[in-house]
């Protein structure tokens, strides 16, 4: 019996790490850091909630347990998208 190589991931986005300061996501071949200072909605989320992310379309990502939708441009350039909602973080 021979084992074949695993195929490419079917998910466009994967959470690779969570730290006290934010989370790391791998999108296709790019790794991005999402600091809680720019993405405060994730700070009090559970690991399970953060890991549950789906690709909604090209460059569109959704965390259904947290009701968070982010686009690739807002992940790459958070300074262009200032937080408008107040949070209790």
């Amino acid at each position: 019996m021979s084992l074949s190589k695993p195929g490419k991931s079917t998910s466009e986005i994967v959470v690779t790490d969570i730290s006290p300061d934010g989370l790391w996501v791998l999108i296709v071949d790019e790794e991005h850091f999402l600091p809680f200072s720019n993405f405060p909605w994730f700070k009090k989320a559970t690991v399970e909630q953060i890991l549950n992310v789906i690709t909604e379309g090209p460059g569109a990502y959704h965390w259904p347990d947290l009701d968070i939708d982010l686009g690739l441009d807002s992940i790459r350039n958070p300074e262009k998208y200032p937080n408008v909602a107040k949070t209790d973080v």
Side-chain angles (χ1 to χ4, degrees), residues 5-15 26-29 53 55:
K5 283 185 176 179
K8 273 192 148 183
S9 172
T10 56
S11 179
E12 185 176 318
I13 185 170
V14 176
V15 177
L26 182 64
I27 301 174
V28 185
D29 292 327
V53 56
T55 301

Side-chain angles (χ1 to χ4, degrees), residues 8-70:
K8 273 192 148 183
S9 172
T10 56
S11 179
E12 185 176 318
I13 185 170
V14 176
V15 177
T16 59
D17 194 21
I18 303 169
S19 77
D21 298 316
L23 58 128
W24 289 90
V25 295
L26 182 64
I27 301 174
V28 185
D29 292 327
E30 295 178 28
E31 194 163 35
H32 300 276
F33 180 63
L34 285 66
F36 294 139
S37 59
N38 290 338
F39 301 91
W41 318 283
F42 294 107
K43 187 167 185 163
K44 291 187 178 179
T46 66
V47 171
E48 183 177 0
Q49 291 172 319
I50 292 173
L51 294 177
N52 184 22
V53 56
I54 57 174
T55 301
E56 291 279 304
Y61 312 103
H62 179 63
W63 283 261
D65 298 333
L66 301 169
D67 196 25
I68 296 172
D69 295 292
L70 294 176

